[in-house]
Amino acid sequence: MLTRSSTPAAVAQFFRNRLFEGIDRDLLERIAGEMLVSSFAREEVIFREGDRGDVLYLVGEGAVKISKRGRGGQEETLGFIEPGNFFGEMSLLDGEPRSATAVAAQPTLLGL
């Protein structure tokens, strides 16, 4: 479930994300007012390969497994995204559908 963050404390962990390295604190505080925070249970799908991509995700807690359909339709794990990192940017940059599936590998908190 998505909830709009209303306190800086709720999104402070996302300020340490590598996406924001070198960004002025004042700008981060403005971004915080617009950020949504979402929690995902273990094995909950965040998005599927082929979905429309319109959001970049910041990992605050937990981990996200990124996988893709390989030969014969078998799922192939590409990697894991951990706290302090981000994912989902490729669809924003190239305008194409999601190229992989993202699933919470454990209880996960994401900033959007």
Side-chain angles (χ1 to χ4, degrees), residues 54-110:
D54 57 358
V55 176
L56 174 132
Y57 298 88
L58 307 171
V59 182
E61 296 175 8
V64 176
K65 179 176 83 169
I66 306 296
S67 62
K68 187 171 183 64
R69 285 187 303 264
R71 297 175 195 242
Q74 298 284 11
E75 177 187 13
E76 296 179 8
T77 300
L78 302 176
F80 291 85
I81 311 298
E82 296 182 332
N85 217 331
F86 60 94
F87 65 99
E89 75 284 358
M90 290 307 297
S91 287
L92 295 177
L93 296 173
D94 65 16
E96 297 294 323
R98 298 288 187 191
S99 61
T101 296
V103 176
Q106 55 189 266
T108 300
L109 187 66
L110 300 177

Side-chain angles (χ1 to χ4, degrees), residues 17-54:
N17 192 285
R18 70 186 205 120
L19 180 68
F20 297 134
E21 287 177 6
I23 302 293
D24 184 65
R25 182 74 178 183
D26 290 339
L27 179 56
L28 289 176
E29 289 175 4
R30 284 193 285 160
I31 292 169
E34 300 298 318
M35 187 178 288
L36 298 175
V37 177
S38 185
S39 59
F40 292 84
R42 184 176 183 273
E43 298 187 12
E44 188 173 354
V45 175
I46 299 163
F47 58 75
R48 295 186 189 283
E49 184 176 349
D51 285 355
R52 185 173 141 249
D54 57 358

